[in-house]
Amino acid sequence: MNTGLDYSPAAVPVLKAVFMEKFREEILDGLNQTPKRLQSKYFYDKEGDALFQQIMACPEYYLTRCELNIFQHKTAQLAGFIRSYFNKEFDLIELGAGDATKSQYLLKYLADQETTFTYIPVDISGNILSLLKKRLIAVIPDLDIRCLEGEYLDALSNAIELSSKPKVVMFLGANIGNMEPHEATVFCRSLREHLKPGDLVIIGFDLKKHPKVILNAYNDQAGLTSQFNLNLLTRINRELNANFIIEQFEHYQTYDPCNGACKSYLVSLQDQIVTIGHKKITFTHDETIFMEISQKYTLKEIDFLAENSGFMPVHNCADPKGWFVDAFWKVV
Ligand SMILES: C[S@@+](CC[C@H](N)C(=O)[O-])C[C@H]1O[C@@H](n2cnc3c(N)ncnc32)[C@H](O)[C@@H]1O
């Protein structure tokens, strides 16, 4: 069993320092823009990871249940697709793996079928990767797993340096929706550039549906999404020596059914000045910070994205309600 040594102990403080510098720069840069914005990749510290796990279990957040249904009930079909393309060893790389809630069913099925593969989960949160690793090793003791902490494409480059085996890249949970449509095109083109003809990608997309269903998913009654967004301010306070007064900001969600953009904001409830290190950021009453987009797609838009970025759409696996699809694309 290879449990995967992620980085040498000596490299850890250096990587941490590089991360902190980028974190500080990107937070200040975003808050100095008009309109202000923060990047949702920074939601995921230890508290953010735990809040996201609660969001996945909350009644309004249908996305996880839909994709879980696909991975629990169409496991043989998903594995069959992969095995029909690869009759030799391959790397199964999962970008933004989180706690592998859904992918674990596919991993277990492949392992039970004695398929030889290395699972390489990638995540910006080292905390969630250590939880994932503990959980998966308990369920699939023989899993060959190598965790890579880092950003999607940087870590993908590292994974490619580790081996020249064919690649299956999974990008689940509608993470692709956290990019504006033009950013998703740039991302998919870059993903394509990293891969070789014959490699496969599996991407989870949340589909356009009744606007109320979508809006409610991000306006849960328990207020978890609100806490998840506000937690980033708490993280900035703790890690960047800032003084946001959390009660002076409020979560606000929108969904535009015409363009499929579901967006979260924090609204400043009064005029205020926040200090981050030595920098001062001024907020006016009702000024917003754009926090995250969760873009919704049609099947036609998904196929267009594939073709426009150098992939051939092969199959869409949908849940029984037709609310979510995992799209299989082949590199051409
Ligand atoms: C919405 S969660 C989904 C988790 C998992 N894919 C699922 O479907 O349950 C997003 C995950 O992607 C990670 N993530 C977000 N932005 C990232 C980035 N730029 N690079 C690497 N990981 C990222 C987060 O830490 C988090 O674990």
Side-chain angles (χ1 to χ4, degrees), residues 148-164:
L148 289 181
E149 181 179 343
E151 294 214 30
Y152 300 135
L153 296 177
D154 297 341
L156 179 62
S157 302
N158 294 343
I160 287 165
E161 278 169 23
L162 286 177
S163 100
S164 58

Side-chain angles (χ1 to χ4, degrees), residues 214-225:
I214 292 177
L215 198 54
N216 286 346
Y218 300 86
N219 264 334
D220 60 279
Q221 293 269 307
L224 293 164
T225 311

Side-chain angles (χ1 to χ4, degrees), residues 41 44 52 56 67 94 96-98 102 123-125 128 150-152 172-173 175:
K41 66 183 177 186
Y44 301 90
F52 188 70
M56 288 199 291
E67 198 175 32
E94 181 168 3
K102 304 135 198 173
D123 208 287
I124 196 170
S125 163
I128 203 76
E151 294 214 30
Y152 300 135
L172 309 183
N175 288 19

